[in-house]
Amino acid sequence: MRTSSTIYLALSALISNGSHAFQLSHHHVVSSRFVSVQSATSLGSTQSSSAPSVVLDRVFETDSRPIILFDGVCNLCNSAVNLAIDWDPRGKLRFAALQSKVGKNLLQAHGRDANDISSIVFVTPKGAYTKSDAILGITQELNPLPFVPLKPLALAGQYMVPQILRDAVYD
C-alpha cells in the first residue's frame, strides 16, 4: 500500500526536474503512473528533443492512458491526486505536475502558456480539457465502488449542465 511519503517523494522528484519519477523503482506502483520527459523523449528515438509536439506524440506512442496535469505545489491538488490513485486501482490514469518539463510541453502542444497553472488539465490522445471538463473526464475514468456509476453521472453532468455554470463551480 502506498504511503503519503511515497507520493511526496514521487511528486518531489517529478517537480524538481521532471526526469526522476521513473527512477523510484522500489515504488513502481506510484512511479509507473507519473510521466516524465525522459520517458516521453526516449520512446522510439534516441533523440532527446523535447519540443511540445514531439513530447505529445511520444507520450501517447505506446501508452494511450490519459494524463492528469496538476499543480504540484498545491496541497489540495496533491490530495486530489492521492484520491485519484486510490479510486483508480486498475491504473487507467497517469499524472504529471504542470511545473514539470513534460507538463509544460503538453500545455504548449495544446496551445496553452507553459507557465499556466490556473487549472487542472486532462490530456488524452484526442485533446486537452480544463476546469470542469477536466474533472468530468477524470471522473469518467474512475470507479471507486462498483455500485457507484460515476461515468454515467459525469456524462449527464457534462451534457445537462452548461459549461459556464460548471466552470463557475470549479472556479
Side-chain angles (χ1 to χ4, degrees), residues 30-97:
V30 174
S31 62
S32 68
R33 300 177 85 185
F34 287 87
V35 182
S36 70
V37 170
Q38 177 183 353
S39 65
T41 58
S42 64
L43 293 172
S45 174
T46 58
Q47 295 177 339
S48 63
S49 172
S50 63
S53 60
V54 172
V55 171
L56 176 65
D57 291 341
R58 292 190 180 155
V59 160
F60 291 110
E61 190 172 47
T62 61
D63 190 344
S64 64
R65 293 179 299 163
I67 301 166
I68 297 173
L69 300 179
F70 64 97
D71 183 348
V73 181
C74 166
N75 288 332
L76 179 64
C77 301
N78 290 333
S79 295
V81 168
N82 287 341
L83 183 65
I85 289 171
D86 290 342
W87 284 9
D88 184 25
R90 289 183 268 154
K92 294 171 66 177
L93 298 170
R94 296 182 289 168
F95 304 88

Side-chain angles (χ1 to χ4, degrees), residues 132 136 155-167 169:
S132 64
L136 290 171
L155 286 170
Q158 189 171 13
Y159 294 108
M160 296 175 79
V161 180
Q163 183 178 11
I164 194 164
L165 292 176
R166 290 186 277 120
D167 284 347
V169 171

Side-chain angles (χ1 to χ4, degrees), residues 96-167:
L98 287 161
Q99 296 90 339
S100 69
K101 291 177 185 177
V102 73
K104 289 180 177 192
N105 279 308
L106 289 173
L107 286 172
Q108 287 180 319
H110 289 288
R112 297 182 62 87
D113 178 22
N115 296 313
D116 182 6
I117 59 169
S118 64
S119 172
I120 190 169
V121 182
F122 184 62
V123 183
T124 70
K126 295 179 183 179
Y129 307 91
T130 60
K131 296 188 177 189
S132 64
D133 285 335
I135 298 299
L136 290 171
I138 293 165
T139 302
Q140 289 179 41
E141 299 294 329
L142 300 176
N143 192 23
L145 301 170
F147 54 85
V148 179
L150 289 183
K151 186 171 186 167
L153 291 174
L155 286 170
Q158 189 171 13
Y159 294 108
M160 296 175 79
V161 180
Q163 183 178 11
I164 194 164
L165 292 176
R166 290 186 277 120
D167 284 347

Side-chain angles (χ1 to χ4, degrees), residues 5-33:
S5 62
T6 303
I7 293 296
Y8 177 77
L9 181 61
L11 292 176
S12 296
L14 188 63
I15 292 166
S16 66
N17 70 6
S19 66
H20 295 297
F22 284 95
Q23 295 176 6
L24 304 172
S25 61
H26 62 286
H27 299 295
H28 91 284
V29 171
V30 174
S31 62
S32 68
R33 300 177 85 185

